[in-house]
Amino acid sequence: MPSLNWIGKEAVVNHDKEVPFKLLKKVKTASVGENSQNLIIHGDNLEALKALMPFYAGKIKCIYIDPPYNTGNESWIYNDKVNSPKIKQWLGKVVGRESEDLTRHDKWLCMMYPRLKLLRDLLSEDGVLFVSIDDNEQHNLRSILDDIFVQNNFVNNIIWQKKYSPQNDAKYFSDMHDFILVYAKHKNKGTELRGWLRNLISRTEEQNARYKNPDNDLRGLWKSSDLSVKTYSKNYDYPITTPSGRIVNPPQGRCWRTSKENLKNLIEDKRVWFGPKGDGVPSIKRFLSEVQDGIVPVTLWLREEVGDNQEARQELKDLFKDVEFPFETPKPLRLIKRIIEIATKDGDIILDSFAGSGTTAHAVIDLNKEKGENRKFIMIEMENDVAKDITAERVKRAIKKYDYQDGFEFCELDKPLFDENGHIEETCDFKQFATYIYFTETQTNIDPKKIDINFIGENGSIEYYLIYKGKNKNDLEKSFLKKIRKTEYKKIIYADRCLIDEETLIKHNIVFKQIPYEVKVY
Ligand SMILES: C[S@@+](CC[C@H](N)C(=O)[O-])C[C@H]1O[C@@H](n2cnc3c(N)ncnc32)[C@H](O)[C@@H]1O
C-alpha cells in the first residue's frame, strides 16, 4: 500500500510509545458534582490520551475530533497553523533541529500522527472515529488514517454543508463544505459481527408527516412510491387499467416494478393507489409501520438537517450572552448529535480530544436528555484560555439549561508517573500505580473491584501483585508468601527488592519484577 512521507515522520511514527504517563489531578473547584464519569481534561491531548490509556484503552465507542484544519490562521483563540508555543516546543523536542525546516503540512502531520495512534488504541473493537477536516489537510489526513487504521476500515467521507451564502469575492470557488472522515476500528466482513455497526437516524416529525391515509386504510399511514422503474424489462412493460377504466402505460423507457400477476395480488390487497378518483397513474403504498425504524444515513449532510457554522455560532452566543466572541469555530449541535446518534447507544463513552467550545459534551447532554439515556463524555482541550473558561463553562451552562442530572470532573495533567531518573512520583498512590502496572502488563484495564490488598488482578493464567507502601518500604519478603493465592497460576510480583531466594520463588511459581526498572512501557 502506498504510504505518505514527510519530513519528521521517522521521529513521530512510534512517538506514542515514548510519551510519559502522567497522572490526572482533579480540580474540585472547576468540576460539577461527583462520580459522574464525565471528564474534561486541560492539557495537550498527546499526554492526556496517554494518561487515559490505563483506564480507557479499548473502551471508547465513538471518537469525534475537529482538529485545527491548518488554514494558517494564527489570530484565533487557538492557533490554526500548528504554531502555538506549546506545539512548537513539542516539535522541537521530538523532531529535533529538523523541526525548524518543516513546512506547515509537515508540522501538522507530525502533530496528528502520534495522537491518532493513541486514539485508535482507545477505541473499542466496535468503535468508530469521525474527523472533521477541510481541503487544507483532507488528502494528508486520509493517507495517515489509511496507515493507522488500515485502508479496509475506511467507512466514508461525508460532505457537510457548512455555509448557506456563497462568498462572491472567492478567487476560484466559494468553499461551501467540510469533510467528515469516518474510520471504524474494525469493519465487519461477511457475517462477522465484532466491528462497528451503524445505527439508523431517527425519523423526524417532518419525515413522518409525509405519510397520510387518504383512503382510510386500516393498516394506518402510508405514502405513495413510484410503481415504475428505470431498469427495463420487456415482461414488466404492460398496460394497466385504472378503476375508472383509463389505460396507463409505464413512462417512456421505463417499465413497472412488478409482474402483471403480482400487480393483481397487490391491487386485491389494496396496496396500489390510483388517486382519489381512481383514474391516476398507479403508485405503490408504503406503510409507515412497515418501513425501518429509522433512516439509513447518506454521505451528504445538508445545513437544513444538521445546521451550519452560523447556527453553531448562534448556539454558543445563546449560552454566552455575557461574552462577545467566546469561540470562533464551533460546530453545530445538530451535526455532532447526528454523529453520536449514528455511532453510539445508551451507556457508551464519547471522546473529543480537540474539544474547543465543548460542542461534543453539549451534544451528548442534549441527546441523553432527549432520549432519556446516559452516554458519557471525555473532552480534552490544551489552551489555557479555553479549557476552563469556555469548554468547561459551556458544559456547566448546558447542564443548568437542561437541568441535567450528571456533572463532570475537571482535571489537570499532573506530574509524570516516573521522574527523569526513572523514580516513581511520590504523590502516586497504590491504586494509580496498580492501574498502570496492570495495564502495561496486560494491555487491558484493571477492574478496581478485584484489587485485594496486594493482589491487583489476573489475566489468562497469570496473577499480578504489587507491593507499594512508600519509598524504601517495598520489599518482597518470605512473610508475603502467606498472602499469595493458593492457585497453580504464575504470580508476577512487583516490588523494589526481593528478599526471597531463587529456589523458593520457583517453588511458588513467582516471577519478581523490580520497580521501576522492570515496569514495562506501553
Ligand atoms: C477547531 S477547534 C474545535 C472546535 C470544536 N469542535 C467546537 O465545536 O467548539 C480545535 C481545538 O483544538 C484545540 N487543540 C489544538 N491542539 C490541541 C492539542 N494538542 N491538545 C488539545 N487540544 C488542542 C484548540 O485549542 C482548539 O480549541
Side-chain angles (χ1 to χ4, degrees):
M1 195 187 80
S3 176
L4 185 70
N5 245 322
W6 67 91
I7 303 174
K9 179 174 181 178
E10 248 173 59
V12 296
V13 277
N14 288 318
H15 177 65
D16 53 302
K17 303 279 175 234
E18 291 153 18
V19 180
F21 275 92
K22 285 195 168 176
L23 303 168
L24 290 173
K25 186 168 67 180
K26 180 177 171 181
V27 184
K28 230 176 164 181
T29 49
S31 306
V32 175
E34 304 252 351
N35 305 324
S36 65
Q37 293 169 292
N38 294 317
L39 277 179
I40 300 180
I41 303 170
H42 173 212
D44 183 342
N45 51 22
L46 187 69
E47 291 177 330
L49 293 171
K50 190 83 180 212
L52 289 173
M53 205 60 82
F55 305 91
Y56 290 97
K59 288 195 176 156
I60 307 291
K61 182 65 184 290
C62 170
I63 295 172
Y64 168 70
I65 53 169
D66 178 15
Y69 284 6
N70 209 7
T71 56
N73 195 324
E74 295 187 82
S75 65
W76 291 339
I77 196 160
Y78 64 93
N79 187 297
D80 204 24
K81 201 182 168 191
V82 207
N83 235 356
S84 76
K86 281 184 190 170
I87 293 294
K88 240 171 145 173
Q89 195 190 13
W90 174 78
L91 278 170
K93 218 160 100 188
V94 176
V95 182
R97 290 190 63 191
E98 222 184 357
S99 77
E100 282 154 33
D101 302 327
L102 302 184
T103 66
R104 158 176 142 222
H105 300 286
D106 294 321
K107 283 188 206 166
W108 191 86
L109 286 161
C110 284
M111 186 274 284
M112 288 302 286
Y113 201 94
R115 288 164 175 82
L116 288 169
K117 275 185 81 183
L118 291 174
L119 286 171
R120 187 187 173 278
D121 289 351
L122 285 164
L123 275 180
S124 57
E125 294 300 288
D126 61 352
V128 63
L129 168 80
F130 288 74
V131 193
S132 279
I133 202 72
D134 75 1
D135 268 320
N136 282 289
E137 297 295 351
Q138 189 267 140
H139 54 307
N140 287 331
L141 177 63
R142 183 126 178 219
S143 290
I144 56 173
L145 283 173
D146 278 349
D147 220 29
I148 297 167
F149 277 71
V150 184
Q151 211 171 15
N152 288 346
N153 292 315
F154 167 74
V155 178
N156 269 119
N157 187 1
I158 296 164
I159 307 283
W160 166 54
Q161 185 194 1
K162 63 180 172 185
K163 268 191 205 165
Y164 172 60
S165 314
Q167 245 172 296
N168 291 326
D169 58 351
K171 192 168 173 196
Y172 297 107
F173 294 83
S174 174
D175 194 13
M176 303 293 282
H177 68 274
D178 276 0
F179 302 100
I180 303 174
L181 289 178
V182 188
Y183 279 77
K185 178 134 172 199
H186 297 290
K187 249 166 85 173
N188 290 311
K189 292 171 206 91
T191 51
E192 172 200 57
L193 278 185
R194 75 171 171 146
W196 181 55
L197 289 174
R198 61 111 183 88
N199 302 324
L200 298 170
I201 303 171
S202 310
R203 294 179 170 282
T204 60
E205 294 286 314
E206 198 187 343
Q207 282 155 343
N208 282 348
R210 288 187 206 132
Y211 289 77
K212 306 241 157 37
N213 194 355
D215 60 348
N216 294 323
D217 194 311
L218 292 176
R219 289 164 288 197
L221 301 171
W222 57 269
K223 128 182 141 169
S224 46
S225 148
D226 201 345
L227 184 64
S228 75
V229 288
K230 228 169 33 185
T231 345
Y232 187 79
S233 152
K234 201 163 181 333
N235 289 342
Y236 285 23
D237 184 356
Y238 52 88
I240 298 176
T241 310
T242 69
S244 69
R246 183 183 153 207
I247 307 287
V248 184
N249 282 300
Q252 183 77 32
R254 294 171 74 95
C255 64
W256 303 122
R257 65 168 64 236
T258 187
S259 66
K260 211 171 181 173
E261 214 165 76
N262 195 38
L263 184 82
K264 210 170 130 223
N265 297 335
L266 290 171
I267 292 175
E268 268 167 27
D269 195 25
K270 293 198 169 45
R271 282 177 181 263
V272 181
W273 175 241
F274 292 94
K277 293 188 187 142
D279 61 351
V281 176
S283 58
I284 289 276
K285 289 183 184 176
R286 295 257 176 258
F287 290 95
L288 183 56
S289 56
E290 287 172 4
V291 290
Q292 296 183 75
D293 208 11
I295 296 160
V296 174
V298 297
T299 52
L300 179 63
W301 294 7
L302 300 174
R303 55 180 283 283
E304 291 86 357
E305 294 160 28
V306 292
D308 57 10
N309 281 338
Q310 200 186 341
E311 178 172 310
R313 279 193 287 268
Q314 190 56 48
E315 282 164 352
L316 203 54
K317 263 194 206 163
D318 290 345
L319 271 185
F320 284 84
K321 293 207 170 75
D322 46 333
V323 186
E324 200 170 352
F325 290 115
F327 194 82
E328 285 92 343
T329 59
K331 290 287 182 281
L333 269 176
R334 289 195 287 160
L335 178 75
I336 312 302
K337 270 176 76 182
R338 170 165 292 187
I339 291 173
I340 300 171
E341 196 185 353
I342 290 173
T344 67
K345 56 181 183 344
D346 192 11
D348 285 338
I349 309 173
I350 295 108
L351 166 70
D352 180 345
S353 56
F354 293 90
S357 72
T359 314
T360 304
H362 189 163
V364 168
I365 292 172
D366 190 317
L367 195 69
N368 278 348
K369 199 74 193 178
E370 188 179 304
K371 294 191 179 282
E373 294 175 339
N374 193 17
R375 293 166 185 79
K376 302 290 176 193
F377 59 80
I378 300 175
M379 312 288 288
I380 306 169
E381 171 56 49
M382 172 174 74
E383 291 299 333
N384 301 342
D385 296 342
V386 179
K388 215 182 262 178
D389 297 339
I390 299 172
T391 322
E393 185 58 32
R394 175 179 189 174
V395 182
K396 264 186 203 169
R397 292 182 187 205
I399 288 172
K400 201 164 162 212
K401 177 178 165 193
Y402 294 81
D403 191 18
Y404 194 62
Q405 78 285 1
D406 263 350
F408 61 84
E409 285 186 31
F410 186 91
C411 294
E412 294 281 356
L413 280 168
D414 207 359
K415 297 180 189 144
L417 194 58
F418 295 99
D419 68 17
E420 279 163 12
N421 304 317
H423 295 131
I424 186 148
E425 163 55 37
E426 275 176 20
T427 59
C428 174
D429 62 25
F430 180 88
K431 198 169 154 200
Q432 282 170 319
F433 195 34
T435 305
Y436 175 81
I437 295 278
Y438 187 81
F439 174 70
T440 51
E441 275 288 346
T442 65
Q443 318 280 284
T444 62
N445 304 135
I446 203 165
D447 179 353
K449 290 195 280 301
K450 285 198 174 161
I451 298 179
D452 182 11
I453 314 174
N454 298 93
F455 174 79
I456 61 171
E458 74 254 289
N459 192 259
S461 48
I462 306 178
E463 291 168 4
Y464 298 93
Y465 295 82
L466 171 64
I467 302 173
Y468 182 63
K469 293 179 260 185
K471 215 171 176 182
N472 303 326
K473 292 185 199 153
N474 310 317
D475 291 340
L476 172 54
E477 293 170 292
K478 262 209 161 143
S479 58
F480 192 78
L481 295 177
K482 282 189 232 130
K483 297 185 187 169
I484 58 174
R485 298 188 168 190
K486 311 257 167 305
T487 60
E488 298 291 297
Y489 290 164
K490 178 163 136 186
K491 288 146 181 68
I492 293 184
I493 305 180
Y494 277 86
D496 286 346
R497 287 193 307 170
C498 178
L499 306 179
I500 304 177
D501 61 88
E502 195 65 26
E503 212 176 303
T504 314
L505 289 179
I506 293 170
K507 191 173 146 211
H508 288 85
N509 206 0
I510 291 173
V511 175
F512 161 68
K513 290 205 176 178
Q514 193 179 17
I515 304 169
Y517 308 105
E518 289 183 85
V519 177
K520 289 186 181 177
V521 284
Y522 171 77

